[in-house]
Amino acid sequence: AHSSIGRAEIFRSLLTPAAVADQAAAFDHAAEQLALTLDLPVERLVWVEAPITATLTDSGDSAAAVDVWTVSILGAPDAGSPQQVWRTVHVDLEHLDGRWLVASATADAGPTPAANELALQSGWDEFDVVAGWDPIVVGVGL
């Protein structure tokens, strides 16, 4: 669960001041599109995203860029089987006041592995249990 106020606070802690408005707007747009696609309010959505691999694509004393391949699992009660989304996130970083902050972030779909044809899809209840476990890579909740 999240609110626009709580989300803005988190963004301000992770992003450069110049990036907050654009990244918040991009997140809001993505969340709205997701809600339309899944036909449910975004507030009901459980979204777990984890990095799989990452590579430094550019670096300097005060700026860097990294590409991160991630998988997201999305679900909600009474919305059928959870869905997976694979994407590559491109992150530009700036070193400000002794901290590395995100200056911009964009994402491209994939690469997406083929689904295992022998695997049975899980329902919401199974996903809800494992989504509540402690993450291997601790992030920031929105």
PDB file of all heavy atoms in Angstrom, residues 125-138:
ATOM      1  N   ASP A 125      -3.092 -16.870  -3.249  1.00  0.00           N
ATOM      2  CA  ASP A 125      -2.743 -17.253  -1.877  1.00  0.00           C
ATOM      3  C   ASP A 125      -1.284 -17.683  -1.761  1.00  0.00           C
ATOM      4  O   ASP A 125      -0.586 -17.294  -0.824  1.00  0.00           O
ATOM      5  CB  ASP A 125      -3.666 -18.368  -1.368  1.00  0.00           C
ATOM      6  CG  ASP A 125      -5.088 -17.878  -1.156  1.00  0.00           C
ATOM      7  OD1 ASP A 125      -5.287 -16.652  -0.979  1.00  0.00           O
ATOM      8  OD2 ASP A 125      -6.010 -18.714  -1.186  1.00  0.00           O
ATOM      9  N   GLU A 126      -0.798 -18.464  -2.734  1.00  0.00           N
ATOM     10  CA  GLU A 126       0.604 -18.895  -2.706  1.00  0.00           C
ATOM     11  C   GLU A 126       1.547 -17.699  -2.875  1.00  0.00           C
ATOM     12  O   GLU A 126       2.553 -17.587  -2.195  1.00  0.00           O
ATOM     13  CB  GLU A 126       0.873 -19.910  -3.810  1.00  0.00           C
ATOM     14  CG  GLU A 126       0.123 -21.215  -3.607  1.00  0.00           C
ATOM     15  CD  GLU A 126       0.103 -22.048  -4.858  1.00  0.00           C
ATOM     16  OE1 GLU A 126      -0.474 -21.586  -5.870  1.00  0.00           O
ATOM     17  OE2 GLU A 126       0.670 -23.146  -4.827  1.00  0.00           O
ATOM     18  N   PHE A 127       1.200 -16.806  -3.805  1.00  0.00           N
ATOM     19  CA  PHE A 127       2.017 -15.614  -4.040  1.00  0.00           C
ATOM     20  C   PHE A 127       2.026 -14.712  -2.817  1.00  0.00           C
ATOM     21  O   PHE A 127       3.076 -14.187  -2.423  1.00  0.00           O
ATOM     22  CB  PHE A 127       1.506 -14.857  -5.265  1.00  0.00           C
ATOM     23  CG  PHE A 127       2.150 -13.509  -5.462  1.00  0.00           C
ATOM     24  CD1 PHE A 127       3.509 -13.397  -5.725  1.00  0.00           C
ATOM     25  CD2 PHE A 127       1.402 -12.347  -5.374  1.00  0.00           C
ATOM     26  CE1 PHE A 127       4.101 -12.157  -5.910  1.00  0.00           C
ATOM     27  CE2 PHE A 127       1.988 -11.109  -5.553  1.00  0.00           C
ATOM     28  CZ  PHE A 127       3.342 -11.017  -5.822  1.00  0.00           C
ATOM     29  N   ASP A 128       0.888 -14.527  -2.194  1.00  0.00           N
ATOM     30  CA  ASP A 128       0.779 -13.646  -1.032  1.00  0.00           C
ATOM     31  C   ASP A 128       1.715 -14.099   0.088  1.00  0.00           C
ATOM     32  O   ASP A 128       2.336 -13.283   0.762  1.00  0.00           O
ATOM     33  CB  ASP A 128      -0.670 -13.600  -0.544  1.00  0.00           C
ATOM     34  CG  ASP A 128      -0.921 -12.532   0.500  1.00  0.00           C
ATOM     35  OD1 ASP A 128      -0.296 -11.454   0.422  1.00  0.00           O
ATOM     36  OD2 ASP A 128      -1.746 -12.775   1.396  1.00  0.00           O
ATOM     37  N   VAL A 129       1.846 -15.408   0.266  1.00  0.00           N
ATOM     38  CA  VAL A 129       2.737 -15.931   1.310  1.00  0.00           C
ATOM     39  C   VAL A 129       4.182 -15.564   1.004  1.00  0.00           C
ATOM     40  O   VAL A 129       4.886 -14.965   1.820  1.00  0.00           O
ATOM     41  CB  VAL A 129       2.579 -17.466   1.458  1.00  0.00           C
ATOM     42  CG1 VAL A 129       3.693 -18.046   2.321  1.00  0.00           C
ATOM     43  CG2 VAL A 129       1.220 -17.797   2.040  1.00  0.00           C
ATOM     44  N   VAL A 130       4.675 -15.912  -0.186  1.00  0.00           N
ATOM     45  CA  VAL A 130       6.099 -15.691  -0.486  1.00  0.00           C
ATOM     46  C   VAL A 130       6.414 -14.215  -0.699  1.00  0.00           C
ATOM     47  O   VAL A 130       7.532 -13.776  -0.439  1.00  0.00           O
ATOM     48  CB  VAL A 130       6.601 -16.541  -1.672  1.00  0.00           C
ATOM     49  CG1 VAL A 130       6.475 -18.022  -1.352  1.00  0.00           C
ATOM     50  CG2 VAL A 130       5.867 -16.197  -2.951  1.00  0.00           C
ATOM     51  N   ALA A 131       5.453 -13.427  -1.141  1.00  0.00           N
ATOM     52  CA  ALA A 131       5.679 -11.989  -1.305  1.00  0.00           C
ATOM     53  C   ALA A 131       5.916 -11.304   0.029  1.00  0.00           C
ATOM     54  O   ALA A 131       6.533 -10.243   0.090  1.00  0.00           O
ATOM     55  CB  ALA A 131       4.500 -11.336  -2.033  1.00  0.00           C
ATOM     56  N   GLY A 132       5.459 -11.927   1.116  1.00  0.00           N
ATOM     57  CA  GLY A 132       5.650 -11.368   2.447  1.00  0.00           C
ATOM     58  C   GLY A 132       6.963 -11.764   3.111  1.00  0.00           C
ATOM     59  O   GLY A 132       7.284 -11.280   4.190  1.00  0.00           O
ATOM     60  N   TRP A 133       7.731 -12.646   2.474  1.00  0.00           N
ATOM     61  CA  TRP A 133       9.024 -13.034   3.028  1.00  0.00           C
ATOM     62  C   TRP A 133      10.005 -11.874   2.924  1.00  0.00           C
ATOM     63  O   TRP A 133       9.842 -10.967   2.112  1.00  0.00           O
ATOM     64  CB  TRP A 133       9.596 -14.219   2.271  1.00  0.00           C
ATOM     65  CG  TRP A 133       8.845 -15.515   2.443  1.00  0.00           C
ATOM     66  CD1 TRP A 133       7.823 -15.783   3.303  1.00  0.00           C
ATOM     67  CD2 TRP A 133       9.065 -16.707   1.699  1.00  0.00           C
ATOM     68  NE1 TRP A 133       7.389 -17.075   3.146  1.00  0.00           N
ATOM     69  CE2 TRP A 133       8.145 -17.676   2.165  1.00  0.00           C
ATOM     70  CE3 TRP A 133       9.940 -17.072   0.689  1.00  0.00           C
ATOM     71  CZ2 TRP A 133       8.091 -18.964   1.655  1.00  0.00           C
ATOM     72  CZ3 TRP A 133       9.889 -18.354   0.179  1.00  0.00           C
ATOM     73  CH2 TRP A 133       8.973 -19.289   0.672  1.00  0.00           C
ATOM     74  N   ASP A 134      11.069 -11.919   3.730  1.00  0.00           N
ATOM     75  CA  ASP A 134      12.109 -10.892   3.667  1.00  0.00           C
ATOM     76  C   ASP A 134      12.818 -10.958   2.322  1.00  0.00           C
ATOM     77  O   ASP A 134      13.207 -12.049   1.859  1.00  0.00           O
ATOM     78  CB  ASP A 134      13.144 -11.097   4.781  1.00  0.00           C
ATOM     79  CG  ASP A 134      12.573 -10.817   6.166  1.00  0.00           C
ATOM     80  OD1 ASP A 134      11.586 -10.048   6.248  1.00  0.00           O
ATOM     81  OD2 ASP A 134      13.121 -11.352   7.141  1.00  0.00           O
ATOM     82  N   PRO A 135      13.024  -9.807   1.680  1.00  0.00           N
ATOM     83  CA  PRO A 135      13.715  -9.808   0.391  1.00  0.00           C
ATOM     84  C   PRO A 135      15.210 -10.087   0.563  1.00  0.00           C
ATOM     85  O   PRO A 135      15.801  -9.743   1.594  1.00  0.00           O
ATOM     86  CB  PRO A 135      13.491  -8.396  -0.133  1.00  0.00           C
ATOM     87  CG  PRO A 135      13.244  -7.573   1.082  1.00  0.00           C
ATOM     88  CD  PRO A 135      12.602  -8.470   2.088  1.00  0.00           C
ATOM     89  N   ILE A 136      15.810 -10.699  -0.432  1.00  0.00           N
ATOM     90  CA  ILE A 136      17.260 -10.932  -0.447  1.00  0.00           C
ATOM     91  C   ILE A 136      17.977  -9.600  -0.601  1.00  0.00           C
ATOM     92  O   ILE A 136      18.974  -9.338   0.036  1.00  0.00           O
ATOM     93  CB  ILE A 136      17.642 -11.889  -1.591  1.00  0.00           C
ATOM     94  CG1 ILE A 136      17.028 -13.280  -1.362  1.00  0.00           C
ATOM     95  CG2 ILE A 136      19.147 -11.991  -1.736  1.00  0.00           C
ATOM     96  CD1 ILE A 136      17.479 -13.962  -0.087  1.00  0.00           C
ATOM     97  N   VAL A 137      17.472  -8.769  -1.488  1.00  0.00           N
ATOM     98  CA  VAL A 137      18.006  -7.425  -1.682  1.00  0.00           C
ATOM     99  C   VAL A 137      16.970  -6.456  -1.106  1.00  0.00           C
ATOM    100  O   VAL A 137      15.874  -6.341  -1.644  1.00  0.00           O
ATOM    101  CB  VAL A 137      18.256  -7.113  -3.175  1.00  0.00           C
ATOM    102  CG1 VAL A 137      18.747  -5.695  -3.355  1.00  0.00           C
ATOM    103  CG2 VAL A 137      19.242  -8.112  -3.765  1.00  0.00           C
ATOM    104  N   VAL A 138      17.318  -5.817  -0.019  1.00  0.00           N
ATOM    105  CA  VAL A 138      16.365  -4.923   0.648  1.00  0.00           C
ATOM    106  C   VAL A 138      16.253  -3.644  -0.143  1.00  0.00           C
ATOM    107  O   VAL A 138      17.252  -3.001  -0.469  1.00  0.00           O
ATOM    108  CB  VAL A 138      16.796  -4.635   2.102  1.00  0.00           C
ATOM    109  CG1 VAL A 138      15.828  -3.686   2.766  1.00  0.00           C
ATOM    110  CG2 VAL A 138      16.893  -5.935   2.881  1.00  0.00           C
TER     111      VAL A 138
END
